[in-house]
């Protein structure tokens, strides 16, 4: 996968987290968090809503 595509996917996940009101993870800005951590947090938030 190209770097540009990875960045777009990362930004999409960050935007979804922000819609849930999450702006940081463990005191770290979303932009600095690992991609896997972002995905895990998003999955947990989505599961909690269902």
């Amino acid at each position: 996968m190209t770097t540009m595509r990875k960045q777009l996917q990362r930004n999409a996940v960050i935007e979804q987290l922000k819609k849930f009101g999450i702006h940081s993870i463990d005191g770290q800005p979303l932009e600095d968090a690992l991609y896997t951590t972002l995905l895990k947090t998003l999955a947990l938030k989505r599961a909690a809503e269902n």
Side-chain angles (χ1 to χ4, degrees), residues 16-45:
Q16 291 177 45
L17 287 169
K18 286 181 178 180
K19 287 179 184 177
F20 281 117
I22 299 172
H23 299 282
S24 65
I25 298 174
D26 294 332
Q28 186 178 29
L30 296 178
E31 291 77 13
D32 295 339
L34 292 175
Y35 184 62
T36 54
T37 305
L38 295 173
L39 289 176
K40 181 179 173 183
T41 305
L42 182 58
L44 291 171
K45 193 66 173 172

Side-chain angles (χ1 to χ4, degrees), residues 3-12 15 19 22-23 25 31 34 48-49:
T3 303
M4 175 72 89
R5 185 170 176 175
K6 287 181 182 179
Q7 188 62 38
L8 290 173
Q9 286 178 330
R10 181 181 178 84
N11 288 342
E15 288 303 314
K19 287 179 184 177
I22 299 172
H23 299 282
I25 298 174
E31 291 77 13
L34 292 175
E49 289 224 331

